[in-house]
Amino acid sequence: MRSIQRFLVRWENCIVLALILATHLAIYYFTGIRRGSDTSYYVTSSQYLREHAFNLVTLFQNVPHSVHYATTILFFSFGGPKIFPVLNVLLSFSALWLFSRLLKQLLPGNVFLRLSIFGFFLVNTEVVRWNYYLLSDGVLINLVLLTLFALLSNRPASSWMYLAVAPLLAFTRPTAVAFFIPILLYCLWSKARFKLLITLTTLVMCLGLRFQLGASQQYSPSFLRPFHVGLVTGHLIADPGFNYKIESPFVIDQSEITGRENTWELLSKFPFYSMEYLSKKAITYAFPVYPYFSTKHNLFNGIYFTVLYLWILIGSIWILSLFTQRKLNLKSNPHLPRLFLFVFTFAGFVVLHTFSILDSEARYLAPWIPMAILAGVSLIGLPQWNSR
């Protein structure tokens, strides 16, 4: 056993790099480069940006909506759709490598456990496969990983790295702003003053620019509508592509539903119906088993996320037991604010997708999977730090 431990310690970096390379090669082999429904928008916007000498101000003034996706448009502008996947993969290699370094910082004692968790993280292809799609999803997940490393790393240069990547993350997609609320609370708790200043500045700049350009509809009450207008038919409010479609057991006059009610109006009109619908939408987002997935894919997801949630549940019970027996002192334990950061971020995204017009698509899983993994890591790290 000791010889295996020594081997893993000696070759840990090589194993991590081999896992990253093997994952990317396997996904590229099976998927190749793929386009999406929004690809043409990014291509057109990046061409406009190149034609105007990379002047983002001109782009925002003429196409205000582009401010939400500025980072992705910039990536597309460096060589077009042919170079975009290459940049994404290079960014992914860096992000995954730094994620493995973050695991090493959080779990310094057990190399076998670190490599097992990293392998478990990579097994879920939702994290890596979006690098080969001509969409914003790959950029988003890579910047999430880089931001997490820069935020949590104890290296001296981490604050400057956070200064570089945080604004890029904020302008990747409208929902990226949701990351910075838990980060703000984490910086306050951990007294990271410089990173707190960066977070506040990023939020003010991001939201201020969007409201100034009149591109703030994603933050308006109409956005807090759990269904699209065209999906209201009789007693059914749902997207037929997902699992949360339900027929109301209550008699609802279709004329009573305009299709433009926000979440609160829907709850006040049809409370029981709405609660059932919203609950199913939340479960579908947090436990991704979709009708359009193959049986094997759904079986894998079912097993993977069951293991992940059981890990977090058992870890939580274990920590609670240690705390009630006074065997665990949480005071000044650095894993505690990290745990809250991961849990609040994950919970925030579930709520966001439940109470808004965002669909619970598979491509929206990627940003919160590392949060759930790191929540489990923090549960392991709490008693380890206490025993030092």
Side-chain angles (χ1 to χ4, degrees), residues 12-78:
E12 180 182 4
N13 292 346
C14 294
I15 294 170
V16 167
L17 288 172
L19 287 172
I20 295 173
L21 180 61
T23 304
H24 280 85
L25 288 175
I27 291 176
Y28 179 71
Y29 176 79
F30 286 107
T31 67
I33 307 299
R34 295 192 176 185
R35 297 175 67 90
S37 57
D38 297 329
T39 301
S40 58
Y41 165 75
Y42 295 123
V43 172
T44 304
S45 299
S46 63
Q47 288 174 347
Y48 182 91
L49 188 61
R50 287 198 301 271
E51 290 169 0
H52 290 80
F54 292 88
N55 191 328
L56 284 170
V57 176
T58 303
L59 177 65
F60 295 160
Q61 288 175 343
N62 287 275
V63 191
H65 185 71
S66 63
V67 70
H68 297 298
Y69 308 97
T71 301
T72 306
I73 293 170
L74 272 174
F75 271 63
F76 263 94
S77 65
F78 296 129

Side-chain angles (χ1 to χ4, degrees), residues 225-228 231 235-248 273-292 353-362 364:
R225 189 174 66 241
F227 53 88
H228 289 283
L231 303 179
H235 302 316
L236 180 67
I237 302 181
D239 189 323
F242 302 108
N243 283 348
Y244 50 80
K245 56 183 178 181
I246 62 170
E247 291 194 24
S248 174
Y273 173 72
S274 303
M275 289 304 296
E276 183 182 0
Y277 173 75
L278 293 171
S279 298
K280 288 191 174 183
K281 191 175 181 185
I283 292 170
T284 302
Y285 180 65
F287 199 85
V289 176
Y290 299 108
Y292 57 85
H353 282 261
T354 301
F355 288 90
S356 71
I357 61 174
L358 290 170
D359 294 323
S360 301
E361 287 189 66
Y364 294 135

Side-chain angles (χ1 to χ4, degrees), residues 83-304:
I83 302 299
F84 177 76
V86 177
L87 294 176
N88 241 354
V89 169
L90 291 174
L91 190 65
S92 177
F93 263 79
S94 303
L96 291 172
W97 170 256
L98 291 177
F99 185 77
S100 73
R101 300 301 87 191
L102 182 60
L103 289 176
K104 189 172 185 177
Q105 176 187 316
L106 299 179
L107 296 174
N110 194 325
V111 62
F112 179 77
L113 180 61
R114 287 199 304 270
L115 288 173
S116 299
I117 291 173
F118 187 68
F120 180 72
F121 177 60
L122 286 181
V123 162
N124 192 304
T125 57
E126 298 297 340
V127 176
V128 176
R129 75 188 182 101
W130 295 106
N131 291 306
Y132 298 99
Y133 282 74
L134 302 178
L135 297 167
S136 64
D137 303 276
V139 180
L140 178 67
I141 181 60
N142 292 330
L143 287 174
V144 166
L145 293 176
L146 290 172
T147 301
L148 281 174
F149 175 81
L151 179 69
L152 302 175
S153 175
N154 50 18
R155 298 183 181 185
S158 64
S159 294
W160 298 108
M161 181 180 175
Y162 183 65
L163 177 63
V165 298
L168 291 175
L169 174 61
F171 287 97
T172 305
R173 273 217 300 250
T175 51
V177 176
F179 282 104
F180 291 94
I181 307 303
I183 287 176
L184 190 66
L185 297 175
Y186 170 79
C187 291
L188 284 169
W189 190 341
S190 58
K191 297 179 181 179
R193 296 178 182 176
F194 187 46
K195 291 177 182 177
L196 174 63
L197 178 62
I198 296 170
T199 306
L200 281 171
T201 305
T202 301
L203 272 174
V204 171
M205 177 177 65
C206 177
L207 293 175
L209 188 57
R210 282 164 172 161
F211 277 91
Q212 184 180 3
L213 291 168
S216 58
Q217 62 271 24
Q218 275 79 2
Y219 309 110
S220 66
S222 62
F223 186 70
L224 293 173
R225 189 174 66 241
F227 53 88
H228 289 283
V229 176
L231 303 179
V232 181
T233 55
H235 302 316
L236 180 67
I237 302 181
D239 189 323
F242 302 108
N243 283 348
Y244 50 80
K245 56 183 178 181
I246 62 170
E247 291 194 24
S248 174
F250 309 100
V251 177
I252 298 177
D253 184 356
Q254 187 175 357
S255 63
E256 294 181 34
I257 305 176
T258 65
R260 299 187 181 278
E261 291 90 350
N262 61 38
T263 299
W264 322 119
E265 292 168 342
L266 190 70
L267 282 168
S268 62
K269 281 185 178 181
F270 314 110
F272 299 105
Y273 173 72
S274 303
M275 289 304 296
E276 183 182 0
Y277 173 75
L278 293 171
S279 298
K280 288 191 174 183
K281 191 175 181 185
I283 292 170
T284 302
Y285 180 65
F287 199 85
V289 176
Y290 299 108
Y292 57 85
F293 278 176
S294 67
T295 303
K296 291 180 181 179
H297 195 164
N298 279 330
L299 180 62
F300 170 82
N301 271 6
I303 294 172
Y304 185 91

Side-chain angles (χ1 to χ4, degrees), residues 308-353:
L308 178 57
Y309 292 143
L310 280 176
W311 171 16
I312 295 173
L313 177 62
I314 294 170
S316 300
I317 295 172
W318 176 47
I319 292 299
L320 185 61
S321 174
L322 291 175
F323 181 71
T324 53
Q325 296 173 34
R326 297 186 178 181
K327 295 180 180 180
L328 180 65
N329 181 14
L330 297 178
K331 187 177 181 181
S332 301
N333 195 317
H335 286 282
L336 190 61
R338 294 169 188 157
L339 177 62
F340 276 90
L341 168 67
F342 305 139
V343 171
F344 285 163
T345 305
F346 167 65
F349 267 81
V350 173
V351 170
L352 178 67
H353 282 261

